[in-house]
Amino acid sequence: DTGVSQNPRHKITKRGQNVTFRCDPISEHNRLYWYRQTLGQGPEFLTYFQNEAQLEKSRLLSDRFSAERPKGSFSTLEIQRTEQGDSAMYLCASSLGQGFPEQYFGPGTRLTVT
Amino acid sequence: GEDVEQSLFLSVREGDSSVINCTYTDSSSTYLYWYKQEPGAGLQLLTYIFSNMDMKQDQRLTVLLNKKDKHLSLRIADTQTGDSAIYFCAESITGGGNKLTFGTGTQLKVEL
Protein backbone atom coordinates (compact mmCIF):
# COMPACT_ATOMS: atom_id res chain seq x y z
CA ASP A 1 0.00 0.00 0.00
CA THR A 2 1.66 3.18 -1.20
CA GLY A 3 -0.66 5.71 0.42
CA VAL A 4 -2.52 8.56 -1.25
CA SER A 5 -0.64 10.01 -4.20
CA GLN A 6 -1.14 13.35 -5.96
CA ASN A 7 0.18 14.71 -9.22
CA PRO A 8 1.70 17.05 -10.00
CA ARG A 9 3.37 18.06 -6.75
CA HIS A 10 3.87 21.61 -7.96
CA LYS A 11 2.14 23.62 -10.66
CA ILE A 12 2.89 27.17 -11.76
CA THR A 13 0.42 28.70 -14.15
CA LYS A 14 -0.52 32.09 -15.50
CA ARG A 15 -3.76 33.77 -14.54
CA GLY A 16 -6.58 32.71 -16.81
CA GLN A 17 -5.19 29.27 -17.64
CA ASN A 18 -6.89 26.00 -16.73
CA VAL A 19 -5.22 23.43 -14.49
CA THR A 20 -6.05 19.86 -13.55
CA PHE A 21 -4.80 17.88 -10.57
CA ARG A 22 -5.01 14.16 -10.00
CA CYS A 23 -5.43 12.16 -6.80
CA ASP A 24 -5.02 8.40 -6.45
CA PRO A 25 -6.48 7.21 -3.15
CA ILE A 26 -5.44 4.22 -1.11
CA SER A 27 -6.65 1.03 -2.77
CA GLU A 28 -10.20 0.02 -1.74
CA HIS A 29 -10.91 3.37 -0.10
CA ASN A 30 -14.43 4.35 -1.08
CA ARG A 31 -14.37 7.94 0.10
CA LEU A 32 -12.18 10.62 -1.42
CA TYR A 33 -11.95 14.21 -0.17
CA TRP A 34 -10.46 17.40 -1.56
CA TYR A 35 -9.26 20.21 0.72
CA ARG A 36 -7.49 23.49 0.10
CA GLN A 37 -4.85 24.94 2.40
CA THR A 38 -3.54 28.50 2.20
CA LEU A 39 -0.43 29.70 3.96
CA GLY A 40 -0.73 29.80 7.72
CA GLN A 41 -4.18 28.21 7.75
CA GLY A 42 -5.62 24.78 8.31
CA PRO A 43 -7.07 22.85 5.37
CA GLU A 44 -10.61 23.73 4.28
CA PHE A 45 -13.02 21.19 2.89
CA LEU A 46 -13.91 21.50 -0.80
CA THR A 47 -15.79 18.35 -1.80
CA TYR A 48 -16.02 14.61 -1.31
CA PHE A 49 -16.97 11.45 -3.18
CA GLN A 50 -18.44 8.16 -2.10
CA ASN A 51 -17.29 5.86 -4.89
CA GLU A 52 -18.09 7.82 -8.07
CA ALA A 53 -20.83 9.96 -6.54
CA GLN A 54 -20.00 13.51 -5.51
CA LEU A 55 -21.98 13.87 -2.30
CA GLU A 56 -21.13 17.34 -1.06
CA LYS A 57 -19.55 20.52 -2.34
CA SER A 58 -18.45 23.44 -0.17
CA ARG A 59 -19.53 26.94 -1.06
CA LEU A 60 -15.78 27.56 -1.46
CA LEU A 61 -16.02 25.54 -4.66
CA SER A 62 -16.96 28.21 -7.18
CA ASP A 63 -18.29 27.45 -10.66
CA ARG A 64 -14.72 27.52 -11.95
CA PHE A 65 -13.93 24.38 -9.96
CA SER A 66 -15.03 20.92 -10.98
CA ALA A 67 -14.14 17.54 -9.55
CA GLU A 68 -14.74 14.07 -10.91
CA ARG A 69 -14.18 10.50 -9.86
CA PRO A 70 -15.42 8.68 -12.93
CA LYS A 71 -14.74 5.07 -11.98
CA GLY A 72 -14.71 5.41 -8.25
CA SER A 73 -10.92 5.18 -8.10
CA PHE A 74 -8.76 8.22 -8.94
CA SER A 75 -10.18 11.74 -8.90
CA THR A 76 -9.38 14.94 -10.79
CA LEU A 77 -9.86 18.52 -9.69
CA GLU A 78 -9.97 21.11 -12.46
CA ILE A 79 -9.78 24.86 -12.01
CA GLN A 80 -10.79 26.93 -15.01
CA ARG A 81 -9.66 30.51 -15.62
CA THR A 82 -7.33 30.49 -12.65
CA GLU A 83 -7.03 33.57 -10.45
CA GLN A 84 -4.22 34.60 -8.13
CA GLY A 85 -6.50 33.82 -5.18
CA ASP A 86 -6.49 30.17 -6.25
CA SER A 87 -2.84 29.88 -5.21
CA ALA A 88 -2.82 27.29 -2.43
CA MET A 89 -1.97 23.72 -1.54
CA TYR A 90 -4.64 21.31 -2.77
CA LEU A 91 -4.84 18.23 -0.59
CA CYS A 92 -6.56 14.95 -1.27
CA ALA A 93 -7.53 12.43 1.40
CA SER A 94 -9.20 9.04 1.39
CA SER A 95 -10.95 6.75 3.82
CA LEU A 96 -12.55 3.33 3.76
CA GLY A 97 -15.99 4.87 4.03
CA GLN A 98 -18.83 5.30 6.45
CA GLY A 99 -17.95 3.97 9.88
CA PHE A 100 -14.22 4.28 9.29
CA PRO A 101 -13.03 7.61 10.70
CA GLU A 102 -9.39 7.40 9.64
CA GLN A 103 -8.74 9.86 6.83
CA TYR A 104 -5.32 9.71 5.16
CA PHE A 105 -3.86 12.61 3.25
CA GLY A 106 -1.66 12.80 0.19
CA PRO A 107 1.37 15.09 -0.12
CA GLY A 108 -0.65 17.80 -1.87
CA THR A 109 -0.32 19.80 -5.07
CA ARG A 110 1.01 23.30 -4.61
CA LEU A 111 -0.52 25.70 -7.13
CA THR A 112 1.02 29.08 -7.84
CA VAL A 113 -0.91 31.44 -10.12
CA THR A 114 1.19 34.28 -11.48
CA GLY B 1 -21.45 26.75 12.77
CA GLU B 2 -18.22 24.91 13.18
CA ASP B 3 -15.20 26.71 14.56
CA VAL B 4 -11.97 25.16 15.81
CA GLU B 5 -9.34 27.25 17.58
CA GLN B 6 -5.77 26.60 18.60
CA SER B 7 -2.93 28.63 20.02
CA LEU B 8 -0.41 29.49 17.32
CA PHE B 9 2.90 28.58 18.85
CA LEU B 10 4.49 26.35 21.51
CA SER B 11 8.14 25.98 22.40
CA VAL B 12 9.49 23.17 24.62
CA ARG B 13 12.84 21.68 25.52
CA GLU B 14 13.80 18.26 24.25
CA GLY B 15 12.74 15.58 26.73
CA ASP B 16 9.93 17.67 28.24
CA SER B 17 6.25 17.01 27.67
CA SER B 18 4.31 19.15 25.20
CA VAL B 19 0.63 19.93 25.58
CA ILE B 20 -1.22 21.34 22.59
CA ASN B 21 -4.73 22.62 23.19
CA CYS B 22 -7.76 23.02 20.97
CA THR B 23 -11.32 24.27 21.47
CA TYR B 24 -14.27 23.62 19.21
CA THR B 25 -17.80 24.93 19.11
CA ASP B 26 -19.98 22.26 17.50
CA SER B 27 -21.55 19.99 20.10
CA SER B 28 -22.46 17.40 17.45
CA SER B 29 -18.84 16.42 16.82
CA THR B 30 -18.45 12.72 16.19
CA TYR B 31 -14.68 12.34 16.09
CA LEU B 32 -11.83 14.65 16.99
CA TYR B 33 -8.44 14.29 15.38
CA TRP B 34 -4.84 15.33 15.67
CA TYR B 35 -2.73 15.66 12.52
CA LYS B 36 0.95 16.56 12.13
CA GLN B 37 2.31 18.55 9.19
CA GLU B 38 5.99 18.97 8.45
CA PRO B 39 7.21 21.74 6.11
CA GLY B 40 6.06 21.23 2.52
CA ALA B 41 4.34 17.96 3.32
CA GLY B 42 0.82 16.62 3.60
CA LEU B 43 -0.91 15.82 6.88
CA GLN B 44 -0.04 12.75 8.92
CA LEU B 45 -2.83 11.29 11.03
CA LEU B 46 -1.51 10.94 14.58
CA THR B 47 -4.59 9.85 16.47
CA TYR B 48 -8.31 10.42 16.85
CA ILE B 49 -10.88 10.03 19.59
CA PHE B 50 -14.56 9.22 19.49
CA SER B 51 -16.64 11.95 21.09
CA ASN B 52 -18.02 9.70 23.85
CA MET B 53 -14.52 8.95 25.14
CA ASP B 54 -12.56 11.20 27.44
CA MET B 55 -9.04 9.83 27.00
CA LYS B 56 -6.97 7.87 24.53
CA GLN B 57 -3.33 6.89 24.85
CA ASP B 58 -1.08 5.72 22.04
CA GLN B 59 2.60 5.32 22.91
CA ARG B 60 3.93 8.84 23.60
CA LEU B 61 0.63 10.49 22.71
CA THR B 62 -2.24 11.11 25.12
CA VAL B 63 -5.47 12.74 23.98
CA LEU B 64 -7.84 14.25 26.52
CA LEU B 65 -11.36 15.32 25.62
CA ASN B 66 -13.56 17.48 27.81
CA LYS B 67 -16.85 17.42 25.98
CA LYS B 68 -18.58 19.74 28.44
CA ASP B 69 -16.03 22.49 27.80
CA LYS B 70 -15.48 21.45 24.16
CA HIS B 71 -11.76 21.22 24.84
CA LEU B 72 -9.30 18.77 23.28
CA SER B 73 -5.63 18.40 24.12
CA LEU B 74 -2.69 16.41 22.82
CA ARG B 75 0.14 15.56 25.18
CA ILE B 76 3.42 14.38 23.69
CA ALA B 77 5.69 12.75 26.25
CA ASP B 78 9.48 12.97 25.99
CA THR B 79 9.31 15.45 23.11
CA GLN B 80 12.05 15.03 20.50
CA THR B 81 13.42 17.38 17.84
CA GLY B 82 11.65 15.24 15.24
CA ASP B 83 8.35 16.30 16.80
CA SER B 84 8.88 19.86 15.59
CA ALA B 85 6.02 20.49 13.16
CA ILE B 86 2.59 22.10 12.93
CA TYR B 87 -0.16 20.21 14.74
CA PHE B 88 -3.76 20.53 13.63
CA CYS B 89 -6.83 19.48 15.52
CA ALA B 90 -9.92 18.71 13.49
CA GLU B 91 -13.49 17.63 14.06
CA SER B 92 -16.04 15.74 12.05
CA ILE B 93 -19.75 16.24 12.51
CA THR B 94 -22.48 13.62 12.78
CA GLY B 95 -24.07 13.16 9.37
CA GLY B 96 -21.48 15.35 7.67
CA GLY B 97 -19.88 12.68 5.53
CA ASN B 98 -16.95 12.78 7.90
CA LYS B 99 -15.59 15.93 6.29
CA LEU B 100 -13.07 17.55 8.59
CA THR B 101 -13.04 21.08 10.00
CA PHE B 102 -9.52 22.07 10.98
CA GLY B 103 -8.07 24.57 13.39
CA THR B 104 -5.36 27.01 12.27
CA GLY B 105 -2.60 24.81 13.64
CA THR B 106 -0.07 25.07 16.48
CA GLN B 107 3.58 25.29 15.54
CA LEU B 108 5.63 23.19 17.96
CA LYS B 109 9.31 24.05 18.25
CA VAL B 110 11.52 21.65 20.18
CA GLU B 111 14.75 23.16 21.45
CA LEU B 112 17.87 21.32 22.57
Side-chain angles (χ1 to χ4, degrees), chain B residues 13 16 24 27-28 39 42 53 55 59 69 71 82 85 91 94:
Chain B
R13 289 186 183 269
D16 288 350
Y24 60 98
S27 57
S28 58
M53 296 172 63
M55 187 181 94
Q59 299 181 349
D69 295 338
H71 182 266
E91 62 173 351
T94 304

mmCIF file with all atom_site columns, all heavy atoms in Angstrom, chain B residues 13 16 24 27-28 39 42 53 55 59 69 71 82 85 91 94:
data_model
loop_
_atom_site.group_PDB
_atom_site.id
_atom_site.type_symbol
_atom_site.label_atom_id
_atom_site.label_alt_id
_atom_site.label_comp_id
_atom_site.label_asym_id
_atom_site.label_entity_id
_atom_site.label_seq_id
_atom_site.pdbx_PDB_ins_code
_atom_site.Cartn_x
_atom_site.Cartn_y
_atom_site.Cartn_z
_atom_site.occupancy
_atom_site.B_iso_or_equiv
_atom_site.pdbx_formal_charge
_atom_site.auth_seq_id
_atom_site.auth_comp_id
_atom_site.auth_asym_id
_atom_site.auth_atom_id
_atom_site.pdbx_PDB_model_num
ATOM 1   N N   . ARG B 1 13 ? 11.494  22.256 25.553 1.00 0.00 ? 13 ARG B N   1
ATOM 2   C CA  . ARG B 1 13 ? 12.839  21.684 25.519 1.00 0.00 ? 13 ARG B CA  1
ATOM 3   C C   . ARG B 1 13 ? 12.746  20.185 25.253 1.00 0.00 ? 13 ARG B C   1
ATOM 4   O O   . ARG B 1 13 ? 11.798  19.510 25.665 1.00 0.00 ? 13 ARG B O   1
ATOM 5   C CB  . ARG B 1 13 ? 13.539  21.909 26.847 1.00 0.00 ? 13 ARG B CB  1
ATOM 6   C CG  . ARG B 1 13 ? 13.942  23.328 27.108 1.00 0.00 ? 13 ARG B CG  1
ATOM 7   C CD  . ARG B 1 13 ? 14.770  23.429 28.393 1.00 0.00 ? 13 ARG B CD  1
ATOM 8   N NE  . ARG B 1 13 ? 15.098  24.812 28.681 1.00 0.00 ? 13 ARG B NE  1
ATOM 9   C CZ  . ARG B 1 13 ? 16.201  25.411 28.242 1.00 0.00 ? 13 ARG B CZ  1
ATOM 10  N NH1 . ARG B 1 13 ? 17.052  24.751 27.494 1.00 0.00 ? 13 ARG B NH1 1
ATOM 11  N NH2 . ARG B 1 13 ? 16.444  26.665 28.552 1.00 0.00 ? 13 ARG B NH2 1
ATOM 12  N N   . ASP B 1 16 ? 11.106  17.224 27.480 1.00 0.00 ? 16 ASP B N   1
ATOM 13  C CA  . ASP B 1 16 ? 9.932   17.667 28.239 1.00 0.00 ? 16 ASP B CA  1
ATOM 14  C C   . ASP B 1 16 ? 8.667   17.150 27.563 1.00 0.00 ? 16 ASP B C   1
ATOM 15  O O   . ASP B 1 16 ? 8.690   16.634 26.448 1.00 0.00 ? 16 ASP B O   1
ATOM 16  C CB  . ASP B 1 16 ? 9.888   19.192 28.325 1.00 0.00 ? 16 ASP B CB  1
ATOM 17  C CG  . ASP B 1 16 ? 10.950  19.744 29.255 1.00 0.00 ? 16 ASP B CG  1
ATOM 18  O OD1 . ASP B 1 16 ? 11.594  18.936 29.970 1.00 0.00 ? 16 ASP B OD1 1
ATOM 19  O OD2 . ASP B 1 16 ? 11.135  20.972 29.265 1.00 0.00 ? 16 ASP B OD2 1
ATOM 20  N N   . TYR B 1 24 ? -13.354 23.705 20.347 1.00 0.00 ? 24 TYR B N   1
ATOM 21  C CA  . TYR B 1 24 ? -14.269 23.625 19.214 1.00 0.00 ? 24 TYR B CA  1
ATOM 22  C C   . TYR B 1 24 ? -15.652 24.056 19.682 1.00 0.00 ? 24 TYR B C   1
ATOM 23  O O   . TYR B 1 24 ? -15.937 24.115 20.877 1.00 0.00 ? 24 TYR B O   1
ATOM 24  C CB  . TYR B 1 24 ? -14.279 22.208 18.627 1.00 0.00 ? 24 TYR B CB  1
ATOM 25  C CG  . TYR B 1 24 ? -14.710 21.133 19.593 1.00 0.00 ? 24 TYR B CG  1
ATOM 26  C CD1 . TYR B 1 24 ? -16.008 20.655 19.606 1.00 0.00 ? 24 TYR B CD1 1
ATOM 27  C CD2 . TYR B 1 24 ? -13.801 20.596 20.504 1.00 0.00 ? 24 TYR B CD2 1
ATOM 28  C CE1 . TYR B 1 24 ? -16.408 19.685 20.499 1.00 0.00 ? 24 TYR B CE1 1
ATOM 29  C CE2 . TYR B 1 24 ? -14.197 19.615 21.405 1.00 0.00 ? 24 TYR B CE2 1
ATOM 30  C CZ  . TYR B 1 24 ? -15.492 19.157 21.393 1.00 0.00 ? 24 TYR B CZ  1
ATOM 31  O OH  . TYR B 1 24 ? -15.875 18.192 22.290 1.00 0.00 ? 24 TYR B OH  1
ATOM 32  N N   . SER B 1 27 ? -21.306 21.044 19.113 1.00 0.00 ? 27 SER B N   1
ATOM 33  C CA  . SER B 1 27 ? -21.555 19.987 20.096 1.00 0.00 ? 27 SER B CA  1
ATOM 34  C C   . SER B 1 27 ? -21.924 18.656 19.440 1.00 0.00 ? 27 SER B C   1
ATOM 35  O O   . SER B 1 27 ? -22.012 17.635 20.122 1.00 0.00 ? 27 SER B O   1
ATOM 36  C CB  . SER B 1 27 ? -22.670 20.413 21.056 1.00 0.00 ? 27 SER B CB  1
ATOM 37  O OG  . SER B 1 27 ? -23.833 20.716 20.323 1.00 0.00 ? 27 SER B OG  1
ATOM 38  N N   . SER B 1 28 ? -22.119 18.659 18.114 1.00 0.00 ? 28 SER B N   1
ATOM 39  C CA  . SER B 1 28 ? -22.459 17.398 17.450 1.00 0.00 ? 28 SER B CA  1
ATOM 40  C C   . SER B 1 28 ? -21.243 16.739 16.800 1.00 0.00 ? 28 SER B C   1
ATOM 41  O O   . SER B 1 28 ? -21.380 15.954 15.866 1.00 0.00 ? 28 SER B O   1
ATOM 42  C CB  . SER B 1 28 ? -23.554 17.624 16.406 1.00 0.00 ? 28 SER B CB  1
ATOM 43  O OG  . SER B 1 28 ? -23.138 18.567 15.449 1.00 0.00 ? 28 SER B OG  1
ATOM 44  N N   . PRO B 1 39 ? 7.114   20.737 7.188  1.00 0.00 ? 39 PRO B N   1
ATOM 45  C CA  . PRO B 1 39 ? 7.212   21.739 6.106  1.00 0.00 ? 39 PRO B CA  1
ATOM 46  C C   . PRO B 1 39 ? 7.095   21.125 4.720  1.00 0.00 ? 39 PRO B C   1
ATOM 47  O O   . PRO B 1 39 ? 7.805   20.161 4.397  1.00 0.00 ? 39 PRO B O   1
ATOM 48  C CB  . PRO B 1 39 ? 8.581   22.365 6.347  1.00 0.00 ? 39 PRO B CB  1
ATOM 49  C CG  . PRO B 1 39 ? 8.827   22.187 7.804  1.00 0.00 ? 39 PRO B CG  1
ATOM 50  C CD  . PRO B 1 39 ? 8.206   20.870 8.171  1.00 0.00 ? 39 PRO B CD  1
ATOM 51  N N   . GLY B 1 42 ? 2.231   16.803 3.299  1.00 0.00 ? 42 GLY B N   1
ATOM 52  C CA  . GLY B 1 42 ? 0.823   16.616 3.605  1.00 0.00 ? 42 GLY B CA  1
ATOM 53  C C   . GLY B 1 42 ? 0.628   16.387 5.092  1.00 0.00 ? 42 GLY B C   1
ATOM 54  O O   . GLY B 1 42 ? 1.546   16.571 5.897  1.00 0.00 ? 42 GLY B O   1
ATOM 55  N N   . MET B 1 53 ? -15.660 9.337  24.313 1.00 0.00 ? 53 MET B N   1
ATOM 56  C CA  . MET B 1 53 ? -14.520 8.947  25.138 1.00 0.00 ? 53 MET B CA  1
ATOM 57  C C   . MET B 1 53 ? -13.932 10.193 25.773 1.00 0.00 ? 53 MET B C   1
ATOM 58  O O   . MET B 1 53 ? -14.113 11.305 25.259 1.00 0.00 ? 53 MET B O   1
ATOM 59  C CB  . MET B 1 53 ? -13.451 8.272  24.276 1.00 0.00 ? 53 MET B CB  1
ATOM 60  C CG  . MET B 1 53 ? -13.913 6.968  23.645 1.00 0.00 ? 53 MET B CG  1
ATOM 61  S SD  . MET B 1 53 ? -12.711 6.352  22.457 1.00 0.00 ? 53 MET B SD  1
ATOM 62  C CE  . MET B 1 53 ? -11.296 6.043  23.496 1.00 0.00 ? 53 MET B CE  1
ATOM 63  N N   . MET B 1 55 ? -10.492 9.948  27.082 1.00 0.00 ? 55 MET B N   1
ATOM 64  C CA  . MET B 1 55 ? -9.041  9.831  27.000 1.00 0.00 ? 55 MET B CA  1
ATOM 65  C C   . MET B 1 55 ? -8.663  8.693  26.043 1.00 0.00 ? 55 MET B C   1
ATOM 66  O O   . MET B 1 55 ? -9.363  7.681  25.933 1.00 0.00 ? 55 MET B O   1
ATOM 67  C CB  . MET B 1 55 ? -8.430  9.543  28.366 1.00 0.00 ? 55 MET B CB  1
ATOM 68  C CG  . MET B 1 55 ? -6.927  9.587  28.378 1.00 0.00 ? 55 MET B CG  1
ATOM 69  S SD  . MET B 1 55 ? -6.188  9.210  29.963 1.00 0.00 ? 55 MET B SD  1
ATOM 70  C CE  . MET B 1 55 ? -5.881  7.482  29.801 1.00 0.00 ? 55 MET B CE  1
ATOM 71  N N   . GLN B 1 59 ? 1.162   5.156  22.734 1.00 0.00 ? 59 GLN B N   1
ATOM 72  C CA  . GLN B 1 59 ? 2.604   5.321  22.914 1.00 0.00 ? 59 GLN B CA  1
ATOM 73  C C   . GLN B 1 59 ? 2.885   6.664  23.593 1.00 0.00 ? 59 GLN B C   1
ATOM 74  O O   . GLN B 1 59 ? 2.466   6.889  24.719 1.00 0.00 ? 59 GLN B O   1
ATOM 75  C CB  . GLN B 1 59 ? 3.324   5.150  21.577 1.00 0.00 ? 59 GLN B CB  1
ATOM 76  C CG  . GLN B 1 59 ? 3.097   3.760  20.991 1.00 0.00 ? 59 GLN B CG  1
ATOM 77  C CD  . GLN B 1 59 ? 3.822   3.535  19.672 1.00 0.00 ? 59 GLN B CD  1
ATOM 78  O OE1 . GLN B 1 59 ? 4.356   4.450  19.058 1.00 0.00 ? 59 GLN B OE1 1
ATOM 79  N NE2 . GLN B 1 59 ? 3.835   2.293  19.218 1.00 0.00 ? 59 GLN B NE2 1
ATOM 80  N N   . ASP B 1 69 ? -16.678 21.221 28.131 1.00 0.00 ? 69 ASP B N   1
ATOM 81  C CA  . ASP B 1 69 ? -16.026 22.495 27.802 1.00 0.00 ? 69 ASP B CA  1
ATOM 82  C C   . ASP B 1 69 ? -15.625 22.579 26.341 1.00 0.00 ? 69 ASP B C   1
ATOM 83  O O   . ASP B 1 69 ? -15.027 23.574 25.924 1.00 0.00 ? 69 ASP B O   1
ATOM 84  C CB  . ASP B 1 69 ? -14.787 22.696 28.683 1.00 0.00 ? 69 ASP B CB  1
ATOM 85  C CG  . ASP B 1 69 ? -15.140 22.849 30.154 1.00 0.00 ? 69 ASP B CG  1
ATOM 86  O OD1 . ASP B 1 69 ? -16.295 23.219 30.440 1.00 0.00 ? 69 ASP B OD1 1
ATOM 87  O OD2 . ASP B 1 69 ? -14.282 22.584 31.007 1.00 0.00 ? 69 ASP B OD2 1
ATOM 88  N N   . HIS B 1 71 ? -13.199 21.021 24.802 1.00 0.00 ? 71 HIS B N   1
ATOM 89  C CA  . HIS B 1 71 ? -11.757 21.219 24.840 1.00 0.00 ? 71 HIS B CA  1
ATOM 90  C C   . HIS B 1 71 ? -11.055 19.901 24.578 1.00 0.00 ? 71 HIS B C   1
ATOM 91  O O   . HIS B 1 71 ? -11.365 18.867 25.186 1.00 0.00 ? 71 HIS B O   1
ATOM 92  C CB  . HIS B 1 71 ? -11.338 21.787 26.206 1.00 0.00 ? 71 HIS B CB  1
ATOM 93  C CG  . HIS B 1 71 ? -9.889  22.068 26.305 1.00 0.00 ? 71 HIS B CG  1
ATOM 94  N ND1 . HIS B 1 71 ? -8.986  21.153 26.816 1.00 0.00 ? 71 HIS B ND1 1
ATOM 95  C CD2 . HIS B 1 71 ? -9.167  23.163 25.959 1.00 0.00 ? 71 HIS B CD2 1
ATOM 96  C CE1 . HIS B 1 71 ? -7.782  21.677 26.767 1.00 0.00 ? 71 HIS B CE1 1
ATOM 97  N NE2 . HIS B 1 71 ? -7.857  22.892 26.260 1.00 0.00 ? 71 HIS B NE2 1
ATOM 98  N N   . GLY B 1 82 ? 12.460  15.701 16.374 1.00 0.00 ? 82 GLY B N   1
ATOM 99  C CA  . GLY B 1 82 ? 11.649  15.245 15.244 1.00 0.00 ? 82 GLY B CA  1
ATOM 100 C C   . GLY B 1 82 ? 10.165  15.511 15.400 1.00 0.00 ? 82 GLY B C   1
ATOM 101 O O   . GLY B 1 82 ? 9.388   15.347 14.440 1.00 0.00 ? 82 GLY B O   1
ATOM 102 N N   . ALA B 1 85 ? 6.940   20.516 14.305 1.00 0.00 ? 85 ALA B N   1
ATOM 103 C CA  . ALA B 1 85 ? 6.016   20.494 13.165 1.00 0.00 ? 85 ALA B CA  1
ATOM 104 C C   . ALA B 1 85 ? 4.826   21.382 13.533 1.00 0.00 ? 85 ALA B C   1
ATOM 105 O O   . ALA B 1 85 ? 4.790   21.979 14.611 1.00 0.00 ? 85 ALA B O   1
ATOM 106 C CB  . ALA B 1 85 ? 5.525   19.075 12.871 1.00 0.00 ? 85 ALA B CB  1
ATOM 107 N N   . GLU B 1 91 ? -12.287 18.327 13.624 1.00 0.00 ? 91 GLU B N   1
ATOM 108 C CA  . GLU B 1 91 ? -13.490 17.628 14.061 1.00 0.00 ? 91 GLU B CA  1
ATOM 109 C C   . GLU B 1 91 ? -14.296 17.202 12.855 1.00 0.00 ? 91 GLU B C   1
ATOM 110 O O   . GLU B 1 91 ? -14.220 17.811 11.788 1.00 0.00 ? 91 GLU B O   1
ATOM 111 C CB  . GLU B 1 91 ? -14.344 18.529 14.957 1.00 0.00 ? 91 GLU B CB  1
ATOM 112 C CG  . GLU B 1 91 ? -14.862 19.778 14.284 1.00 0.00 ? 91 GLU B CG  1
ATOM 113 C CD  . GLU B 1 91 ? -15.841 20.573 15.133 1.00 0.00 ? 91 GLU B CD  1
ATOM 114 O OE1 . GLU B 1 91 ? -16.267 20.091 16.195 1.00 0.00 ? 91 GLU B OE1 1
ATOM 115 O OE2 . GLU B 1 91 ? -16.181 21.697 14.712 1.00 0.00 ? 91 GLU B OE2 1
ATOM 116 N N   . THR B 1 94 ? -21.513 14.690 13.050 1.00 0.00 ? 94 THR B N   1
ATOM 117 C CA  . THR B 1 94 ? -22.476 13.621 12.780 1.00 0.00 ? 94 THR B CA  1
ATOM 118 C C   . THR B 1 94 ? -23.266 13.944 11.519 1.00 0.00 ? 94 THR B C   1
ATOM 119 O O   . THR B 1 94 ? -23.795 15.050 11.381 1.00 0.00 ? 94 THR B O   1
ATOM 120 C CB  . THR B 1 94 ? -23.447 13.492 13.974 1.00 0.00 ? 94 THR B CB  1
ATOM 121 O OG1 . THR B 1 94 ? -22.692 13.278 15.155 1.00 0.00 ? 94 THR B OG1 1
ATOM 122 C CG2 . THR B 1 94 ? -24.416 12.353 13.749 1.00 0.00 ? 94 THR B CG2 1
#
